[in-house]
Amino acid sequence: MKKVLSILFVLTLAILLAGCKGDKEISGSGMIQDVNVRRAISMAIDKAYYTDTILANESYPADYYIPYNFYGGIGDNGEGVDFRVRAEQVFGDFLPFTKYDMPAGSAESQSPSGYNHYNIEEAKQLWEDSRKRFGIEKDETVVFKMLVHNTASWTSLYDHVKAEIEKNLTGTKIKIISVTFGEKLDKAPTGDFDILFSGWGPDYMDPITYLDLFVTGNGHNNIHYSNPEYDYLINQAKIGAFQGQERLDAYVRAEKILLQDDVALLPIFQSNSVGLRRTQLQNFYTQSVGPDYILKWVSWDTTDDAWAAKEADLKAARIDGDETVLKLLETSKIPDMASFTTTDQVSFYNLAQINEGLMVAGNPQSNEQYLPGMAESYTVSEDGKVYTFTLREDQPWVKSDGTQYNNEVVTAEDFVFAWRKLADPRVASEYSYLLETIGVKGWEIAYEDVTDMTDAEIDTELAKLGVEATGEFELTVTLNTAADYFLGMMSFPSFYPVNEAFYTSLGEDYGKTLTPENLLYNGAYYLSNWDNNGHTLQKSDLYWDKDTVSIDKVIYELVESAEPEVQVQMYLDGDIDSVILRTGALVETYGARSDVRTTGSTTAWYLEFNINNH
Amino acid sequence: MEKLLEVKNLNVTFETHGGTVQAIRDVSFDLHRGETLAVVGESGSGKSVMTKSVMRLLADNGNIKHGEILYHYEDGTIVDIAKLRDGEMHKIRGAEIAMVFQDPMTSLNPTMTIGKQIMEPIMKHQNLSKKDARQKAIELISMVKIDRPTKRMKQYPHEFSGGMRQRIVIAVALACNPNILICDEPTTALDVTIQAQIIDLIKELQQQTKAAVIFITHDLGVVANIADRVAVMYAGKICEIGTSSDVFYTPAHPYTWGLLASKPNTDNLGEKLYSIPGTPPNLLDPPKGDAFALRSNYALELDFEEQPPMFKISDTHYAATWLLHPDAPKVEPPKVVQRRGAKKGVTNNG
Amino acid sequence: MNNMKNDFSKIKIDKSKLKLVSNRIEESEEISGVSLGYWKDSFRRLLHNKIATISLILIGFIFIFSIFITSTTPHSTVIEPQIKDPDTGQMISKKSLTSVPPRIKGLEWLGWFDGRVDKLLPKIALENEVKYPKDTYEIVECEEGNTGKEMCTIDLDVYKQNGIEQLYFTFGTDQLARDNWTRVWAGVRNSLAIGLLAAVFDIVMGVIYGSICGFYGGTKVDNIMMRFIEIYGSIPSIVLLILLLSFMDRGFGALIIALGLTGWIGVARMVRAQYLRYREHDFVLASRTIGASTKRLIFKHIFPNIIGQIVILATFSIPAAIFYEASLSFIGLGLPTDQASLGTLINNGITQRSVSAYLLWIPTIVLSIVMLAINLLANGLRDALDPRLRGR
Amino acid sequence: MLRYVWNRILMIFVTLFLILTINFLLLYLMPGSPFQNPRLTPSQRERIEDKYGLNDPVLVQYGRYMYKVSKLDFGGTIATNTYDDIFEEYIIDRLPLTAKIGGIALIIGTVIGITFGALAAIRRNSWLDNSVTVLGVIGVSIPSFVFAAILQEVFAINLDWLPLFYREANPDIGHSLKDQNLGMIMPIIALSVLPIASIMRYMRTELVEVFSSDYILLAQAKGLSKPAVIFKHAIRNALIPVITIIGPMAINLIAGSLVIERFFNIPGLSNSLVTFTLAKETYATLAINFFYSFMYVTVILIVDILYGVIDPRIRLASNSKLGLIGKLIKSIKRKFQSDNAGGEVNE
């Protein structure tokens, strides 16, 4: 028996040894402080391989932080200017930019614009020099800790980054610390990492939504990046010191400081997606900011030519008599539908269909970012700090059966009530920071410690918020600073109106999910059915712009954790009308079909270097 | 006396990982109505295998290689149990031949009431209604001297003591008045006081039912008490068979001598007890000659080469040892055995 | 029998041999007393079980082979192979090595390891001769697809398409251009190591806990300890796992401890039951009467009797741990993907199954073989170590 | 008997209380916050956590929670506005389906497992026995998600006989009741593989052991036919140990298999358990945990009682683990025995 045990023991030991053989390992947290080390790492990663071969979904390999197709500031002719185009004009030493017509995988797709371009030779040189400078012995391996979240779809990226760095920079090891998304958020502020994987999608149409993160002391600045010049540029832009072109150029400079001078970030790619979508769907385009689609503008091409031979039966299913139906897939549940507390993309998306703010996102076919929604018209004061909105007088509040609620229509008071809820420290809305972002007068109340205040005192404070009903249908908003993106933000769900009487009748249950009765609707659609299998949006006949709305019924089927292949199969079976091809394998299989659509996005994915590592 | 069972040249083997074990080698004997045949021998000598072959209850890997087991029905028909089909065998088991097992703690089904277990063979073999079978079972319980039989019917084995369980097993065995009762070491697992009670019970019931009893034991004391005839088994063979007095007072086989000498009794009081040296042979590869020769103090050279045949000593007494050959050297059995024989007043006729 | 007569004339024997000889007891002891030790006997019986023997050899082979393979190809489990083109001396681009199907020299005729895949493409895609050069595929069939386009199934030689005809990847490569062969073996090694170590952890914890419970069986100590087990056992193991993983860096060590922490209860229960059984046995009472210490009683008297049971349980808990790890990988809580395990490989294979089916089937088959072998060995061990079956 | 059950039920309450306490502490110790929005700055998060009392001392939180539980309010989700009372709105809602799928899988597993296990034991070493052994080993050797993948590939994608995954009947989306029932087939098959394999193996082993016992020999010696021996004597005795594994298996199946739930989109509990735990939704996790533990202890009680029904030896047996209760039962048992002891002969 002893023999058997000892054999087992030796074998186990053997495996362990085989598993973790290797050189002396030293922590890389000191080295990561060095800008050249960071630059070496930045140049060592073949981003195009990831976007073109692994994802194969026409995402752009990025050497930049602020994405393409993101319009910021005002150009010379008064219109929005693509940030990257301007960046090229300012720092003209970039490669020529060809954007959409560049074929995936071609030489041109190798990061046309940006800093620290993929260059193995230079990376190796920088790394060897740094090793010498730090006095690293030949047999020593430098270990960098990379903190990531364990979402299945990202593991390829982590493995790729790890492989690239370890291959190109000899004597390095990337230790992947894979935690859940929630844990990552907790772990990141502790600074126990060398490299952190992050992504950021814009909240509003201004580059500041990206750049603000790395201002000294920002809550999201996990790497404790601090550069006085950078801070100066951003803070000045925030208070409106720069206007128009000047402001855009300030941002371009700030990005260059962040990426080129300090190498605080290692951009990986700007994500796009390739999907299958019925060719007959029209105006089904994603927006760069805010909810993915605005269903209000979507329609079926009902002409017979549009339905190819084999999809004729689909037409019968989608256009049944007078009713047109759209079927879509939802992969995660809606967590909360109270517009002033919710935080989640799915919730925002659905709120954008069933409720409407002062502004509404424009038809993607046109060039308009936003159009008047609940506000019929507005005026701006000369200094750009006071907005006066004139509301529509005929938009009823709709119940989940499609009828009007208590004969009530949307009034200015509904907006005031909602905004005060957003700012109310007792509600503690996670999205109250948006009030600061747009710079509403008196936003500070949202962050105040109110434990010692009475309810009445808080209410008095809230009344000082810069939003006022100056008439039944007139809303006045007073801002601290003038911001270009203010109007665009008015289409964001956090600023949607809420009917006070209805809210009071429900209390905490307002916006509770799975119960369409706990919401009032003023948008193009209302929720007619909502359970664990999904939900149905029904066209609202009481909507002011109902003639624009083309699709009568939108059915969302909820399939949590559906495998990418299963999702595609659902599309092929005719269960849904649009699907995203989530793996390179799927893109390769289905990418050449005629119903393939590429959708851009302005989400940037990057690695952060822990500069202020102790 | 009416012959009930005739076993002729029975050979039983077991297939094991190690090879074929020859558990029973060329065994022959017969059994008459009303008599008690005791089979004695060390553990592993094949006693139990022999009786299980008679019941055809061998384990899956055991089979009757050749030989006959002839059962004589009361109407005179004779069947060969060794070749009987399963269906016919079911009719013999329990009804004609019944069996009592060694360990009463395990031989009753723990999840079935006592009554049901007794009624089972009655209903199977005697076509009685449930009510009559119940009545019969109650009678049987009182017959094996357990009181309050009606109440006992509803109880489970675990509520009974070992002795009581063995009584129940006997009641089950006797339920259909079998002609042959095989008792496979029925008292080994019991206390001494209860042993006596059980043996008395078997004796008493045998007199009542006139059944023939095959009584397997390694306890010679029990044998003297109960047996009409005794068969001594060693290494899968019967080495000596005869009436009780034949075997006890004029044993002829050296193994029987050893057995008798190693048993304490009034004859060898105060002496150092004899013990047979060595261990029984491995039946995977049984020795060529007399299996006992290796351990015997009286071994002849021939014993290692030739199997001794069954020598007839008297009409009732047979033994398989070359010592009985007229040309063999005369040997003296151990003193204890001699003294025993002298007590009886008969000398060993060697 | 009655008709037997002592007809001595018929018995033909060498009468000279009818003489007394001294007994040969030593010989009798020798012949009949081929007594084997428990382990020897068990081992002998195990070897008699053909299936178990084959399994044992197979596991041993896989084990040694996996260690050998992974230790001779350094880092290949993490980094894709860097291969120089023998003709040009240039590095072959990573892209040419991505998702290459299996190909084995000499086995191409089998149809499985020939480096070719069937692909369904729209006919127009074939017009792109840069991606699909004419000589790299054969058209199997073309038909009208459901979008009204003509779709063709082609039999594509990926090695030729990628210009790496001189190379052979036994199990192909994955979507990150990593060699599947080394990854599968690394997966086998890691999975086996996880299974073994988790089993060791189970056994150590379980035996210690179970022994204490069993030895103090029926007393307050036992009572409290069993209560604890009951409560501990009723907490879903997945919650314990998540909790534990949230305190530790995800990886090999954490996983083993996590698996071990949830698996020892069965062992502890069994050990306790066995102790209670043996505690009352005469030999334990006997050694108690001669004043054996508690420690001695546990380790010298009782423990050897239950070790067979423990070995069986341990053998069964190895596949259980491998199985569990695989399931955890499926829900994203297993090993990080850069450390391959059979679970992570299969999980990756599931996402790639439409294009690279081999990435799913190869690790699945390997896992099934390993699990089958261990289970069959465990079955064999159970039979071999069963004292009731001794000598059969 | 009644008293025994009553005592056991009391004990269950004590156990459940301890389980809840330990679980609460464990989850409290787990790092992280239910508020996981990346856009939250630490100070904002602290403010929200304060609102929900998550930064109170552990004892205060524990007391508050226990007070709520004592009123049978298990709390709801914190970060999402979906469930006020997770037990009422979630568990009760989801249980019937998982119980149905798990129950059918268990029944299939038990019936097939016992039948084939018994057949294998009866026809030992036949081709049937060998194939049962091999299938049994294969059944426990291949992970369930591989089975699920194979089933989906073959029956849903290639043959198109069955729906890809489970969908509730919903005329609004266009799924009929037939779709719903067809959708249950694959998960049931995938779920029942493990019970079939393990029950089959277990049944075979137990029956083989029973066959070698003396009372089977006695039953044969009574002249009972083979079927009578098997059905009247062997099966019942072999079933006793089989029940011990069916009990925990039933919990696992009814609780649902995580992997199968994910694969076939079954709105079950175990998937949510993982989701809630990872999201640090403490109350929701605790409620499901509590529910599992409740099932666990109840099923064990049922198994014990069932045990008594099948095995008369344990009908009133004491449980040494139970201490005080054990003593009580022992005394009851003694009383019971002395009632019958009157006529016992001096044995």
Side-chain angles (χ1 to χ4, degrees), chain A residues 185-186 203 220 446 536 557, chain D residues 32 36 38-39 45 47 167 172:
Chain A
L185 294 177
D186 287 319
D203 286 330
H220 299 285
T536 306
E557 186 167 358
Chain D
Q36 302 187 341
R39 317 223 153 191
R45 179 187 294 173
R47 202 156 53 87
R167 285 158 162 147
D172 199 41

Side-chain angles (χ1 to χ4, degrees), chain D residues 50-341:
Chain D
D50 277 343
K51 182 183 162 194
Y52 289 90
L54 299 179
N55 294 327
D56 293 344
V58 59
L59 272 178
V60 175
Q61 288 191 49
Y62 172 72
R64 198 164 45 208
Y65 179 68
M66 277 309 188
Y67 175 70
K68 270 171 88 183
V69 167
S70 70
K71 294 193 295 183
L72 287 179
D73 175 5
F74 287 89
T77 44
I78 304 167
T80 71
N81 188 10
T82 313
Y83 307 106
D84 292 337
D85 184 342
I86 197 86
F87 207 84
E88 207 171 87
E89 296 172 50
Y90 194 84
I91 296 176
I92 299 298
D93 195 46
R94 295 196 155 207
L95 194 62
L97 176 67
T98 28
K100 192 171 171 189
I101 290 178
I104 295 174
L106 183 70
I107 290 168
I108 290 177
T110 315
V111 170
I112 296 183
I114 288 180
T115 314
F116 281 87
L119 282 176
I122 292 163
R123 306 215 179 286
R124 235 180 128 182
N125 298 327
S126 65
W127 64 269
L128 183 86
D129 183 22
N130 290 333
S131 34
V132 160
T133 311
V134 170
L135 284 177
V137 177
I138 290 175
V140 295
S141 298
I142 299 177
S144 49
F145 60 88
V146 175
F147 268 118
I150 294 171
L151 285 174
Q152 210 174 45
E153 191 78 28
V154 173
F155 291 105
I157 295 176
N158 286 346
L159 294 173
D160 204 16
W161 288 351
L162 297 170
L164 275 169
F165 42 78
Y166 172 84
R167 285 158 162 147
E168 215 164 275
N170 192 336
D172 199 41
I173 303 177
H175 301 313
S176 63
L177 198 65
K178 194 181 153 209
D179 292 337
Q180 178 181 338
N181 291 331
L182 284 176
M184 279 194 267
I185 293 176
M186 283 199 291
I188 287 173
I189 294 174
L191 267 181
S192 61
V193 169
L194 197 66
I196 288 178
S198 42
I199 292 176
M200 202 156 71
R201 272 158 51 120
Y202 215 74
M203 184 67 192
R204 182 188 170 274
T205 320
E206 288 303 325
L207 204 55
V208 164
E209 204 167 320
V210 167
F211 276 149
S212 68
S213 63
D214 282 354
Y215 57 85
I216 293 300
L217 219 54
L218 182 73
Q220 284 177 302
K222 286 175 189 172
L224 296 183
S225 62
K226 206 166 178 181
V229 173
I230 291 164
F231 287 107
K232 287 193 182 156
H233 292 269
I235 299 272
R236 193 179 162 120
N237 283 294
L239 276 181
I240 295 169
V242 172
I243 286 176
T244 38
I245 63 160
I246 292 181
M249 204 176 268
I251 303 170
N252 284 339
L253 284 178
I254 290 171
S257 150
L258 186 69
V259 170
I260 301 294
E261 274 181 19
R262 287 231 170 163
F263 224 98
F264 293 111
N265 189 42
I266 296 163
L269 286 177
S270 52
N271 203 356
S272 339
L273 180 64
V274 175
T275 321
F276 283 141
T277 314
L278 290 175
K280 238 222 150 190
E281 283 285 2
T282 313
Y283 304 134
T285 312
L286 275 173
I288 299 180
N289 256 345
F290 180 80
F291 176 72
Y292 275 180
S293 306
F294 179 76
M295 284 219 303
Y296 183 84
V297 284
T298 328
V299 167
I300 283 180
L301 177 67
I302 292 170
V303 165
D304 281 357
I305 292 171
L306 213 64
Y307 234 55
V309 173
I310 296 186
D311 189 346
R313 283 168 298 184
I314 321 175
R315 191 157 296 171
L316 282 158
S318 66
N319 189 335
S320 62
K321 277 188 284 181
L322 288 171
L324 199 117
I325 296 158
K327 275 179 211 153
L328 233 151
I329 292 152
K330 252 183 211 155
S331 67
I332 298 170
K333 195 180 163 193
R334 216 173 290 131
K335 195 166 167 261
F336 187 82
Q337 275 176 339
S338 62
D339 282 351
N340 314 303

Side-chain angles (χ1 to χ4, degrees), chain A residues 68 111 178 196 199 210 239 262 301 346 356 370 374 463 513 609:
Chain A
Y68 282 117
S111 274
S178 175
L196 174 72
Y210 297 96
I239 59 166
D262 292 337
D301 182 354
V346 192
E356 195 170 287
Y370 42 81
M374 283 299 108
T513 56
F609 291 114

